[in-house]
Amino acid sequence: MARHPNYIPYGVIPAVLLPFENDLSIDEPNFRKHLRDVAAVEGISAITLNAHSTEVASCTFDEQRRVLDVAQDEIGDKLPIVNGVWADGSLEAARIAKMAAQGGASALLVFPPAPFTMGQNAAMALAHRRRY
């Protein structure tokens, strides 16, 4: 359940970066510090994560869940969290969206699946979205 259930996206919503260790695992201490630093900026209305700047395409489902959990732990009481949904398939996008909702995200940033770059129409976009 969202910690900020009445949040309506507006204003400045920065997307945070995700630092990695040399072995490509998440550098959690520096991620936590980065979240606190960004959240301390006056005037922002939310934080976006699990998007391109957090290298979502390189993160497993479990890593995306951990990114959300860490963000909720560090800044979730202070700011709403917008969680990206990036997947090539609608079923995986639905699984990510469900995880984000259960993890307390206040909004979703849905990226179009890669096959859409080859052309799409309104029916395709609606069918993708209806999966979740």
Side-chain angles (χ1 to χ4, degrees):
M1 168 117 39
R3 288 190 179 177
H4 305 269
N6 298 320
Y7 174 70
I8 297 172
Y10 70 95
V12 178
I13 307 171
V16 295
L17 303 174
L18 182 61
F20 291 93
E21 300 286 356
N22 287 337
D23 66 358
L24 301 181
S25 63
I26 295 170
D27 180 351
E28 194 169 306
N30 280 312
F31 182 49
R32 287 177 179 276
K33 181 182 180 318
H34 177 58
L35 286 165
R36 290 189 306 269
D37 288 347
V38 174
V41 173
E42 191 95 15
I44 63 173
S45 66
I47 297 282
T48 299
L49 47 87
N50 284 326
H52 293 300
S53 64
T54 41
E55 303 299 335
V56 69
S58 300
C59 292
T60 66
F61 179 85
D62 289 335
E63 288 170 327
Q64 291 179 53
R65 182 183 356 225
R66 184 66 188 151
V67 164
L68 178 57
D69 289 345
V70 168
Q72 288 289 17
D73 184 50
E74 284 298 324
I75 62 166
D77 288 338
K78 181 178 179 179
L79 286 169
I81 293 173
V82 177
N83 194 89
V85 176
W86 185 88
D88 281 338
S90 298
L91 295 178
E92 182 63 7
R95 184 169 86 117
I96 293 167
K98 183 177 181 181
M99 173 275 294
Q102 290 172 341
S106 296
L108 301 176
L109 172 60
V110 179
F111 294 93
F116 278 31
T117 62
M118 296 182 285
Q120 77 279 347
N121 59 43
M124 289 172 64
L126 290 172
H128 176 70
R129 175 57 187 94
R130 283 189 184 113
R131 294 287 181 182
Y132 51 99

